[in-house]
């Protein structure tokens, strides 16, 4: 379901609407659908060929029936984890910007600074999406195919026909890892038989040597199993390339979009692989190896835990509080709340952290901005698309901002 649009802004288009849209998005939509269908067919063909042809016919025919049970458990355990990961990666909401964020933006009004979106690091800044024409949190980006902004978006993956974002980035990585392992297991356990059947296919050996019992191998088995081997090699090579890109990025707490940013060092770097992977997989635990939502997530997609080695003032400063008393590190009470309780609680505590993070202006600052004739405040809001009465997010925004700041 698509969230209701912010007042004065056009509603984002759902994915299905792309099928009836302009030629570019429509072609990409159907290409993504076709790619997903191919990936599913290959996924199940590999399982069928390994279990019904290799384990049921070929291994007994070559006198290795004692290995069938071991190979079946080894391959299918990894394959099932891969299928589970695929299901989660495809069906899980990648991270649509929640309505609660838009309510926060409406309530803060003009006291919430909104910066124009640029292809660079913009920590602790709400930016204006050029497509949705609505403010979005840091690290969120717009997906043209899904027609919406996605929290900590990595990319739109045609193989799963879904965006890869905050809520399914873990599933995407597990899908790649388990499918890669399944391909290696399939090739490693069947390589001698693949070589032998290739020799039969080109005429170097006779298929008669594999016949003469109830599990005799037929020629169509040979060709089907060789196609299986070809797919397994191609999948292994493809996923080796994919994982060699995405795993190192996850180990640095970066997305493929952010990999091109050069205006500053990565402000979300946590100084180690485990700390960075925790931003995708949640706090270390057994749930890392299963395609389930993290038991102890580190972020809600709007507020990110700051690295210990960075100064607190690099991650936002509350205008009406002494920020030094609320340093965003794990050693402070506020840091603990930010890292644990704020991710699960509803109410003022979370929004107070948002106000600090996104530098919501105090009533005194708002008064100073409005009284200073030389300050281009109206120009700033025109640049962000908020100066037109028809596209204003709120009514009486200054009064709302002052009321909200009383809780900051």
């Amino acid at each position: 379901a698509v969230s209701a649009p912010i007042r004065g802004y056009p509603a984002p288009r759902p994915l299905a609407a792309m099928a009836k849209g302009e030629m570019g998005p429509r072609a990409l939509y159907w290409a993504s659908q076709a790619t997903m269908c191919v990936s599913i067919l290959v996924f199940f063909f590999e399982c069928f060929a390994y279990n019904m042809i290799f384990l049921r016919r070929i291994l007994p025919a070559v006198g290795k029936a004692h290995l069938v049970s071991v190979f079946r458990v080894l391959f299918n355990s990894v394959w099932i984890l891969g299928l589970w990961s695929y299901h989660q990666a495809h069906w899980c909401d990648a991270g649509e910007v929640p309505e609660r964020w838009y309510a926060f933006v409406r309530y803060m009004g003009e006291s919430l600074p909104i910066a124009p979106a640029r292809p660079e690091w913009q920590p602790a800044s709400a930016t204006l999406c050029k497509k949705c024409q609505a403010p979005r949190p840091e690290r969120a980006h717009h997906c043209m195919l899904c027609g919406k902004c996605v929290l900590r978006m990595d990319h739109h993956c045609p193989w799963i026909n879904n965006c890869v974002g905050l809520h399914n980035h873990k599933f995407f990585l597990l899908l790649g890892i388990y499918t890669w392992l399944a391909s290696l297991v399939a090739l490693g356990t069947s390589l001698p038989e693949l070589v032998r059947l290739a020799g039969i296919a080109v005429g170097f050996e006779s298929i008669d040597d594999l016949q003469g019992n109830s599990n005799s191998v037929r020629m169509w088995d040979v060709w089907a199993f060789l196609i299986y081997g070809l797919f397994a090699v191609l999948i292994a090579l493809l996923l080796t390339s994919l994982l060699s890109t995405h795993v190192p990025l996850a180990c640095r707490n970066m997305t493929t979009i952010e990999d091109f940013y050069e205006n500053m060092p990565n402000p979300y770097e946590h100084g180690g692989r485990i700390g960075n992977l925790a931003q995708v997989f949640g706090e270390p635990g057994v749930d890392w190896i299963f395609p389930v939502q993290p038991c102890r997530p580190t972020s809600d997609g709007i507020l990110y835990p700051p690295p210990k080695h960075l100064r607190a003032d690099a991650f936002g400063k509350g205008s009406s509080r002494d920020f030094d008393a609320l340093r965003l590190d794990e050693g402070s009470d506020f840091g603990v709340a930010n890292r644990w309780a704020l991710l699960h609680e509803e109410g003022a505590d979370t929004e107070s952290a948002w106000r600090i993070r996104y530098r919501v202006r105090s009533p005194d600052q708002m008064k100073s901005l409005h009284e200073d004739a030389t300050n281009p405040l109206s120009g700033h809001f025109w640049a962000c698309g908020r100066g037109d009465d028809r596209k204003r997010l709120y009514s009486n925004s200054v009064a709302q901002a002052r009321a909200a700041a009383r809780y900051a």
Side-chain angles (χ1 to χ4, degrees), residues 15 17 48 137 212 245 255 274 371 395:
L15 180 61
F48 171 83
T245 298
T255 65
I274 298 300
E371 290 178 351
S395 61

Side-chain angles (χ1 to χ4, degrees), residues 95-214:
E96 183 176 0
V97 178
E99 177 59 31
R100 187 179 180 189
W101 163 261
Y102 293 128
F104 171 77
V105 174
R106 284 192 293 266
Y107 190 65
M108 291 299 102
E110 295 182 353
S111 61
L112 174 67
I114 297 179
R118 297 185 297 271
E120 62 184 22
W121 294 111
Q122 293 180 283
S125 297
T127 60
L128 186 77
C129 175
K130 298 177 183 178
K131 300 293 184 180
C132 298
Q133 285 297 300
R136 63 192 181 194
E138 57 184 318
R139 305 189 79 180
H141 297 279
H142 187 87
C143 176
M144 181 177 64
L145 280 174
C146 295
K148 62 184 179 183
C149 287
V150 176
L151 299 172
R152 204 181 67 198
M153 178 179 172
D154 189 274
H155 68 290
H156 186 96
C157 178
W159 299 105
I160 62 173
N161 195 27
N162 195 8
C163 277
V164 176
L166 177 74
H167 297 317
N168 68 344
H169 197 172
K170 172 187 175 180
F171 307 146
F172 172 77
L173 291 177
L174 289 180
L175 168 63
I177 292 171
Y178 287 134
T179 308
W180 179 71
L181 288 176
S183 299
L184 294 184
V185 169
L187 288 173
T189 56
S190 64
L191 187 58
E193 287 68 35
L194 280 171
V195 174
R196 185 173 181 179
L197 294 184
I200 293 175
V202 298
F204 292 158
E205 293 188 41
S206 174
I207 196 174
D208 295 337
D209 297 336
L210 301 179
Q211 295 178 345
N213 55 60
S214 59

Side-chain angles (χ1 to χ4, degrees), residues 9-346:
Y9 286 86
R13 292 190 298 169
L15 180 61
M18 292 294 177
K20 302 179 181 179
E22 54 271 16
M23 182 59 66
R26 182 173 58 184
L28 291 175
Y29 169 83
W30 288 113
S32 183
Q33 293 278 350
T35 304
M36 181 189 67
C37 292
V38 170
S39 66
I40 293 175
L41 289 175
V42 172
F43 209 83
F44 280 95
F45 173 76
E46 290 291 285
C47 180
F48 171 83
Y50 190 88
N51 286 281
M52 303 304 295
I53 298 177
F54 176 62
L55 296 182
R56 188 173 181 179
R57 292 182 176 275
I58 296 177
L59 270 189
V62 298
K64 297 181 179 180
H66 61 285
L67 296 176
V68 170
S69 297
V70 176
F71 286 177
R72 178 176 287 118
V73 171
L74 183 61
F75 174 82
N76 287 299
S77 60
V78 181
W79 185 87
I80 289 173
L81 286 171
L83 180 63
W84 186 6
S85 301
Y86 191 102
H87 176 273
Q88 294 288 77
H90 170 70
W91 289 107
C92 178
D93 171 32
E96 183 176 0
V97 178
E99 177 59 31
R100 187 179 180 189
W101 163 261
Y102 293 128
F104 171 77
V105 174
R106 284 192 293 266
Y107 190 65
M108 291 299 102
E110 295 182 353
S111 61
L112 174 67
I114 297 179
R118 297 185 297 271
E120 62 184 22
W121 294 111
Q122 293 180 283
S125 297
T127 60
L128 186 77
C129 175
K130 298 177 183 178
K131 300 293 184 180
C132 298
Q133 285 297 300
R136 63 192 181 194
E138 57 184 318
R139 305 189 79 180
H141 297 279
H142 187 87
C143 176
M144 181 177 64
L145 280 174
C146 295
K148 62 184 179 183
C149 287
V150 176
L151 299 172
R152 204 181 67 198
M153 178 179 172
D154 189 274
H155 68 290
H156 186 96
C157 178
W159 299 105
I160 62 173
N161 195 27
N162 195 8
C163 277
V164 176
L166 177 74
H167 297 317
N168 68 344
H169 197 172
K170 172 187 175 180
F171 307 146
F172 172 77
L173 291 177
L174 289 180
L175 168 63
I177 292 171
Y178 287 134
T179 308
W180 179 71
L181 288 176
S183 299
L184 294 184
V185 169
L187 288 173
T189 56
S190 64
L191 187 58
E193 287 68 35
L194 280 171
V195 174
R196 185 173 181 179
L197 294 184
I200 293 175
V202 298
F204 292 158
E205 293 188 41
S206 174
I207 196 174
D208 295 337
D209 297 336
L210 301 179
Q211 295 178 345
N213 55 60
S214 59
N215 293 314
S216 60
V217 178
R218 292 163 292 186
M219 202 62 200
W220 77 266
D221 293 325
V222 173
W223 288 110
F225 193 62
L226 290 177
I227 294 174
Y228 144 87
L230 176 62
F231 280 150
V233 171
L234 293 177
I235 292 171
L237 293 176
L238 174 65
L239 291 177
T240 299
S241 175
L242 183 146
L243 292 174
S244 66
T245 298
H246 288 278
V247 172
L249 285 175
C251 289
R252 290 183 286 157
N253 194 15
M254 295 173 63
T255 65
T256 53
I257 296 175
E258 295 167 344
D259 191 30
F260 296 95
Y261 294 170
E262 299 179 347
N263 61 309
M264 66 172 70
N266 179 9
Y268 304 99
E269 168 68 46
H270 280 255
R273 292 185 178 89
I274 298 300
N276 288 327
L277 286 175
Q279 308 309 306
V280 177
F281 288 81
E283 293 292 345
V286 178
D287 59 303
W288 271 32
I289 64 176
F290 296 105
V292 296
Q293 288 293 347
C295 295
R296 296 178 294 170
T298 60
S299 173
D300 60 357
I302 296 174
L303 190 68
Y304 293 94
K308 297 179 181 179
H309 64 281
L310 292 182
R311 301 190 318 274
D313 58 3
F315 272 81
K317 192 167 185 177
S319 55
S320 62
R321 298 187 181 191
D322 181 6
F323 191 79
D324 290 335
L326 298 173
R327 294 184 65 85
L328 296 180
D329 57 54
E330 291 187 10
S332 67
D333 292 337
F334 185 83
V336 173
N338 172 40
R339 197 167 175 83
W340 298 105
L342 292 182
L343 299 180
H344 304 286
E345 292 180 357
E346 298 290 335

